[in-house]
Amino acid sequence: MFKHYNHNFPETRMRRLRRNESLRALVRETTLDPGDLIYPLFLCPGKGVRREIGSMPGVFQLSVDEAVREAEEAAQLGLGGLLLFGLPETKDEKATGAWDNNGIVQQGLRALKDSAAAQKLVLIADVCLCEYTSHGHCGVMIETRDGWTVDNDPSLELLARTAVSQAKAGADVVAPSDMMDGRVGAIRQALDSAGFQQTPILSYAAKFASAFYGPFREAADSAPQFGDRRSYQMDGANLREALREIDLDLEEGADMILMKPAMPYLDVVRAARERVGVPIGAYQVSGEYSMLQAAFEKGWLDHDRAILESLLGARRAGADFIVTYFAKEAAKLLG
Ligand SMILES: [Zn+2]
């Protein structure tokens, strides 16, 4: 009656195992657990501050006291950890707010470390300078024949100083996101000589220059005042280069790697998973969050299912954990 190309049909019928939810659950290959999710927080000065970010509904800039409340909720939901970003009181060319022992992230780390929530959460500090520099770039600037750009080697010293001050303040993990050459080695060396041999480095090994970071720049107030980040973040077309970046970061001493963004680069996550044995995280970035939120607001996508599917996709690609602004909502859905 029908011409069919499946020569095992009708003996083989794939639908047999999809018949009901218990069968589907039994043969499910990939799992998603609240403990796989890392929730980013944006710390700002003040008290009782909870300022919603316009382009990221449901995400807030939080003063330290509010961040502690958020951490308590995150711990209760069983999340894996928090990733901390800071909005300093003032910015300058040397990114003083990043490495100051009394910087906003350092204050936050001390307060969080003192809370009961911290016992259950991994506190990860983002190591970068762009939120703290007056020009919004990820290092110190120098003028070259190609225009103004980040001066690689002098920036390493500031990044290393930032990581040490964060470890001192209580960071369980430091996560350099700047994409300077040699930063992982510089940070490892600085941590070791300051007595933090046990502090792991989660390197943003493959961070692509992406349009999907747009809303984050409002959240962290870190938009470059001029130029862009394409002379240090990776070209979105390059997979082999991403694998070289990963190899180099591991040689320099990275303990885990983070891939950013997630959805447009899941093939990179998969390639990394097949190549290296270290734990891999994927960062579902602000733009991925905001475009889903926009679609939810319009009623164009099913909120619950789209959130879980977007996270499951990253897990299936090979991510052990996912940094996501949906962490709390996803944990509630996963029950
Ligand atoms: Zn940066």
Side-chain angles (χ1 to χ4, degrees):
M1 171 172 64
F2 293 108
K3 180 173 165 58
H4 60 83
Y5 298 94
N6 174 354
H7 299 294
N8 297 319
F9 181 82
E11 291 79 10
T12 302
R13 288 181 184 269
M14 297 302 283
R15 291 184 52 197
R16 283 184 196 124
L17 295 178
R18 298 177 198 149
R19 239 172 53 227
N20 60 44
E21 179 49 27
S22 9
L23 273 168
R24 290 192 291 270
L26 182 71
V27 300
R28 193 157 288 141
E29 300 174 29
T30 310
T31 58
L32 191 59
D33 185 88
D36 305 329
L37 306 177
I38 308 281
Y39 191 47
L41 294 184
F42 298 98
L43 306 178
C44 68
K47 241 185 166 210
V49 182
R50 220 183 150 75
R51 198 180 306 123
E52 191 166 28
I53 295 150
S55 53
M56 299 178 73
V59 179
F60 299 81
Q61 295 171 345
L62 304 165
S63 53
V64 169
D65 54 324
E66 289 289 325
V68 170
R69 285 178 44 189
E70 202 74 14
E72 277 157 11
E73 196 189 346
Q76 231 156 41
L77 289 166
L79 298 186
L82 303 175
L83 176 60
L84 305 179
F85 296 94
L87 292 98
E89 201 110 40
T90 55
K91 303 185 183 224
D92 58 33
E93 300 216 332
K94 295 216 133 221
T96 308
W99 41 266
D100 186 342
N101 284 331
N102 214 22
I104 184 70
V105 165
Q106 288 82 352
Q107 289 177 36
L109 282 164
R110 284 194 290 270
L112 287 165
K113 241 353 195 193
D114 279 343
S115 71
Q119 309 299 321
K120 295 188 183 157
L121 296 166
V122 179
L123 301 181
I124 308 172
D126 179 84
V127 181
C128 201
L129 306 180
C130 51
E131 296 129 63
Y132 308 92
T133 49
S134 40
H135 44 69
H137 280 283
C138 304
V140 293
M141 300 302 285
I142 187 174
E143 194 169 15
T144 68
R145 259 185 258 172
D146 298 319
W148 283 91
T149 187
V150 174
D151 198 359
N152 195 87
D153 301 6
S155 303
L156 299 184
E157 205 259 316
L158 297 181
L159 291 162
R161 211 189 291 180
T162 301
V164 169
S165 77
Q166 292 170 340
K168 234 183 249 174
D172 297 311
V173 175
V174 293
S177 61
D178 52 283
M179 291 303 280
M180 296 304 123
D181 288 321
R183 81 271 168 76
V184 174
I187 289 170
R188 184 70 272 157
Q189 219 173 7
L191 286 172
D192 289 357
S193 46
F196 296 104
Q197 295 91 342
Q198 294 297 329
T199 302
I201 298 174
L202 166 63
S203 85
Y204 291 65
K207 179 177 182 181
F208 291 91
S210 172
F212 289 88
Y213 302 149
F216 176 93
R217 292 179 183 165
E218 183 196 345
D221 187 26
S222 63
Q225 298 303 301
F226 53 88
D228 58 39
R229 299 202 169 106
R230 281 183 279 189
S231 74
Y232 44 106
Q233 295 179 353
M234 285 192 46
D235 187 313
N238 295 357
L239 172 62
R240 292 194 304 266
E241 186 189 353
L243 298 178
R244 281 193 74 198
E245 282 282 7
I246 291 165
D247 288 348
L248 291 169
D249 279 12
L250 295 181
E251 275 172 38
E252 288 178 36
D255 300 278
M256 303 182 275
I257 54 173
L258 190 59
M259 320 296 275
K260 184 179 185 180
M263 197 181 67
Y265 297 90
L266 290 179
D267 60 316
V268 186
V269 175
R270 166 50 50 189
R273 174 74 293 155
E274 283 168 9
R275 185 182 183 91
V276 299
V278 297
I280 296 176
Y283 196 142
Q284 182 181 54
V285 302
S286 58
E288 299 177 64
Y289 173 85
S290 299
M291 68 182 181
L292 285 173
Q293 285 289 16
F296 300 154
E297 262 170 38
K298 288 196 171 263
W300 287 351
L301 285 175
D302 180 291
H303 173 272
D304 298 1
R305 290 184 58 200
I307 289 176
L308 294 181
E309 189 175 334
S310 70
L311 298 172
L312 190 70
R315 288 269 298 131
R316 194 190 59 249
D320 298 294
F321 55 90
I322 304 161
V323 180
T324 173
Y325 302 97
F326 286 123
K328 287 197 308 182
E329 282 172 271
K332 285 175 199 162
L333 294 172
L334 293 166

